[in-house]
Amino acid sequence: MNFIRFIGIDVSKKTLDVSVFQSGEVINKFPHIQVRNDKQGFKDLLRWTKEQGVKPKDALFGLEFTGYYSDELEQFLTKKQICYTMLPTTVVKHYQRGTHDKNDKIDSAKIADYLFRFNGTECIKLRVLPSKAMQELKSLKSERKFLVQHRVACENRLQVAKSKSEEKHLQKLIDLCKEEVEQVEKQIADVVTSDEEIYTTFRLLTSIPGIGFVNAVNTIANTQNFTAFETARQYAKYLAVAPSEHSSGTSVHWRRRPSPHADLQAKADLSMAALHVIELSAEMRQLYERKLGNRPKDKDVQKKALNAVKFKLIREMFAVAKQARIFELRGLDKAQTETHNTEK
């Protein structure tokens, strides 16, 4: 779709900085306004763009991924049938055109300029707001992640508690977190069963040995039911399971390694699944032992071997989801197969 006007929005917790691309003008001179990040501010935004001679439905709006700060704005733009795209934060951070100054106004102008420069290319993909069930699932997943992290922090603190009263207090917090996690998981289960597409994918994923409730939900939410990532390797890089390349010219050739920027909780949950499936599946156990080679006690080698198992699990999840077929059990010990089937 060809657009003739481009609007960049820098999103923060309380305000939106908005700039309209102006041909022949330097970035810091683009028309600019700051509005509140609420429903009234969204209306003011549209009113101002019309004053600038921009028809919202003929323009492309762009904003960065800023988590829940942009949720209401996305819902507003979707309701008004206005086209918009979401850009990685690195686009603005490393965008070289214009001034080297850094503030919200200039960031919004850089987004507008970027939209103009890369309009019609693969860099610009229109955003489609996930379904209501998917939005709720992602929200509950984040809530569960917070509770689990808080519970683990309390459990770690309990190990070094210096008094009985402190131990009692920490144990109460741990029990409370466990109860809250159980309640959130019940809510997640209700959301999963209420949406036919999500439930179908959930059943396919949990047919894979080692993949249970938590990892199935994590994967569905992170991949937006396998629409946000085209390949298993892309998702593996997102979880810091597969290595990423870093090289430039003839002198910069860093060793390929997983990115430190990842959903570490989802990665940890997948690690538990990998450890379980190594015991469950002869095929996975052989893969793990082959990757260990002659250095089974080397921790770095152990991590790489476990990553290989996790990557295979991700590939299997993408395979069953994309092909819409139940996973075929193979290479499992007989007793373990019966256990796996009983659990499912």
Side-chain angles (χ1 to χ4, degrees):
M1 186 173 180
N2 293 323
F3 299 95
I4 56 176
R5 301 303 298 272
F6 305 92
I7 300 171
I9 305 175
D10 183 79
V11 181
S12 60
K13 182 177 181 180
K14 295 183 179 180
T15 61
L16 303 175
D17 282 84
V18 187
S19 294
V20 178
F21 175 80
Q22 198 74 28
S23 181
E25 191 65 83
V26 294
I27 280 181
N28 55 351
K29 295 293 181 66
F30 285 177
H32 167 266
I33 189 176
Q34 186 179 81
V35 298
R36 294 183 308 187
N37 190 359
D38 56 25
K39 292 183 179 179
Q40 184 57 50
F42 305 155
K43 294 177 181 178
D44 294 339
L45 186 158
L46 292 188
R47 188 182 305 112
W48 178 78
T49 55
K50 291 176 181 178
E51 292 173 358
Q52 301 301 313
V54 177
K55 294 181 179 180
K57 292 190 177 181
D58 293 335
L60 175 61
F61 288 66
L63 49 152
E64 292 178 287
F65 283 101
T66 52
Y68 63 87
Y69 288 166
S70 61
D71 285 352
E72 289 189 12
L73 176 58
E74 288 187 64
Q75 294 172 9
F76 177 82
L77 294 174
T78 301
K79 185 177 179 180
K80 294 292 184 180
Q81 297 182 336
I82 295 174
C83 295
Y84 70 100
T85 184
M86 303 290 288
L87 303 176
T89 55
T90 52
V91 166
V92 175
K93 182 178 180 181
H94 301 295
Y95 194 55
Q96 297 300 319
R97 295 189 63 85
T99 178
H100 289 286
D101 293 335
K102 173 73 171 69
N103 57 52
D104 295 338
K105 174 184 175 181
I106 291 176
D107 286 349
S108 66
K110 284 184 176 181
I111 293 174
D113 190 79
Y114 182 90
L115 297 179
F116 168 74
R117 305 290 173 187
F118 293 93
N119 180 38
T121 69
E122 293 182 356
C123 297
I124 305 296
K125 295 182 179 180
L126 296 184
R127 169 80 162 175
V128 178
L129 194 66
S131 65
K132 187 176 181 180
M134 183 61 67
Q135 294 178 51
E136 190 173 356
L137 186 65
K138 292 180 69 175
S139 176
L140 289 170
K141 170 185 166 293
S142 297
E143 185 176 351
R144 182 188 179 281
K145 176 181 176 180
F146 169 79
L147 291 170
V148 169
Q149 289 176 338
H150 188 56
R151 185 193 68 197
V152 171
C154 291
E155 289 172 344
N156 292 338
R157 182 70 181 271
L158 182 62
Q159 295 178 4
V160 294
K162 297 180 179 179
S163 65
K164 292 292 184 181
S165 60
E166 185 180 4
E167 288 181 4
K168 187 177 181 180
H169 175 67
L170 289 170
Q171 189 59 55
K172 284 184 178 180
L173 291 176
I174 292 170
D175 294 339
L176 180 60
C177 285
K178 287 181 179 179
E179 291 178 7
E180 293 290 334
V181 168
E182 289 177 359
Q183 291 180 8
V184 170
E185 287 179 348
K186 288 180 181 178
Q187 291 178 284
I188 291 174
D190 291 339
V191 173
V192 169
T193 54
S194 68
D195 188 283
E196 186 176 351
E197 290 185 0
I198 292 176
Y199 183 60
T200 299
T201 305
F202 178 83
R203 289 181 63 248
L204 293 172
L205 295 183
T206 51
S207 70
I208 302 172
I211 301 300
F213 176 86
V214 173
N215 279 291
V217 169
N218 284 344
T219 306
I220 292 171
N222 287 338
T223 64
Q224 294 185 23
N225 206 9
F226 293 88
T227 60
F229 297 90
E230 295 181 2
T231 66
R233 183 168 292 277
Q234 289 177 349
Y235 183 57
K237 288 183 178 181
Y238 171 79
L239 290 185
V241 170
S244 299
E245 183 180 1
H246 190 133
S247 62
S248 178
T250 59
S251 57
V252 179
H253 292 281
W254 291 8
R255 180 173 61 87
R256 288 171 60 87
R257 60 186 183 276
S259 170
H261 308 291
D263 186 340
L264 298 181
Q265 184 61 52
K267 182 181 181 181
D269 292 333
L270 191 60
S271 296
M272 296 302 294
L275 291 171
H276 176 61
V277 80
I278 288 170
E279 298 179 356
L280 191 69
S281 168
E283 180 184 0
M284 289 295 197
R285 188 161 55 251
Q286 290 172 4
L287 170 63
Y288 181 70
E289 290 173 352
R290 186 172 73 251
K291 293 295 183 179
L292 283 178
N294 298 322
R295 296 185 293 170
K297 295 184 179 181
D298 189 316
K299 290 186 178 180
D300 189 46
V301 174
Q302 289 176 359
K303 289 180 180 179
K304 291 180 179 179
L306 194 62
N307 273 347
V309 176
K310 286 186 279 187
F311 183 46
K312 189 167 180 63
L313 283 175
I314 292 172
R315 290 177 59 189
E316 290 175 347
M317 286 192 286
F318 267 74
V320 299
K322 296 289 187 180
Q323 299 174 24
R325 62 175 177 81
I326 295 292
F327 182 82
E328 296 179 5
L329 295 174
R330 62 184 186 279
L332 296 177
D333 296 337
K334 183 177 180 181
Q336 293 171 327
T337 302
E338 293 174 356
T339 302
H340 173 71
N341 291 335
T342 302
E343 291 176 349
K344 297 303 177 188

